[in-house]
Amino acid sequence: MNTIDVQYLVINMALILVATYVQSALVAEEKEKNTLRGLMLSPASIFEIFCGKSLLSFIAGTVIIVFSALLSNYHPKNLLVIIIAIFLSSVFYLGLGTFIGLLTKSVMEASVAIMPAFVIFAFGSLITPLMDQYPILTIANYMPNLQLIELAKQVEAGAGLADVLSHLAIIFVWIIAMYAVCLYVYKKRMVDE
């Protein structure tokens, strides 16, 4: 029998390996081919550029998550809450991919730069048994991947949307922080280049 932890290890890996990696590679490729500069100078807003670049990564990540859930026979008790949580998590991971892509100069560099994020966000849940021994690690409870797992556990226990708002709020704060950093790096690139 698959547990929620195993289900969400697969979902978090799909988010980081598909959504984040594809996004970072797309942005890094734009930089490598010097087409990102053209986008920066175009009349398109930053929001339109970020959304346009994220659409392919979002679709690919969603397809992989849906197929993973179907293959593992995962049927959450409250599908709407899980869809909202995975959507917000996808937005965060797309921001992370955009950030990595903006920091790197090539697709190859982005492929290497994503590895620390992969370890932290895909396997971060594996440090929870160590939290009793090392109390400093309890900070990890606020990571978006662990919030998603805790939310899913509460949903399986019968929680509704109102019961998991704190988890959604923490993921949303991560989204705001990630896109604020992306915006800063993007604007800095506009001035530097």
Side-chain angles (χ1 to χ4, degrees):
M1 181 177 146
N2 288 337
T3 65
I4 292 295
D5 288 316
V6 173
Q7 293 286 346
Y8 281 84
L9 177 64
V10 172
I11 289 171
N12 279 319
M13 286 180 74
L15 286 167
I16 194 81
L17 287 176
V18 180
T20 304
Y21 176 73
V22 170
Q23 181 70 8
S24 67
L26 287 173
V27 174
E29 183 181 30
E30 291 280 351
K31 286 181 64 184
E32 190 175 11
K33 294 181 177 179
N34 290 322
T35 53
L36 185 62
R37 183 73 176 149
L39 282 175
M40 290 176 170
L41 298 174
S42 74
S45 70
I46 295 172
F47 178 76
E48 292 169 336
I49 292 170
F50 281 179
C51 286
K53 286 280 142 211
S54 301
L55 188 59
L56 176 65
S57 305
F58 177 76
I59 292 170
T62 302
V63 168
I64 296 295
I65 290 169
V66 169
F67 280 129
S68 298
L70 290 174
L71 287 173
S72 63
N73 204 24
Y74 174 55
H75 302 288
K77 288 189 177 178
N78 191 334
L79 185 61
L80 178 64
V81 172
I82 296 300
I83 287 172
I84 292 169
I86 290 177
F87 173 78
L88 288 175
S89 295
S90 296
V91 172
F92 166 75
Y93 284 105
L94 290 170
L96 180 61
T98 302
F99 175 68
I100 292 169
L102 287 171
L103 288 181
T104 57
K105 295 178 180 144
S106 67
V107 176
M108 183 63 76
E109 200 174 303
S111 300
V112 173
I114 199 170
M115 293 313 292
F118 172 70
V119 171
I120 292 167
F121 292 108
F123 297 112
S125 61
L126 299 177
I127 67 167
T128 53
L130 298 173
M131 288 182 187
D132 291 335
Q133 190 175 5
Y134 303 102
I136 189 74
L137 294 178
T138 56
I139 294 170
N141 279 327
Y142 295 100
M143 290 174 38
N145 56 331
L146 292 179
Q147 289 296 311
L148 184 61
I149 293 169
E150 287 304 312
L151 180 143
K153 286 179 180 177
Q154 287 184 11
V155 166
E156 289 306 306
L161 182 60
D163 301 317
V164 296
L165 282 177
S166 62
H167 297 292
L168 294 174
I170 291 171
I171 294 171
F172 191 72
V173 168
W174 275 92
I175 291 169
I176 292 170
M178 182 54 62
Y179 280 94
V181 170
C182 285
L183 190 62
Y184 172 77
V185 173
Y186 181 82
K187 287 187 174 185
K188 189 170 176 4
R189 294 276 180 222
M190 283 179 69
V191 173
D192 289 350
E193 292 180 3

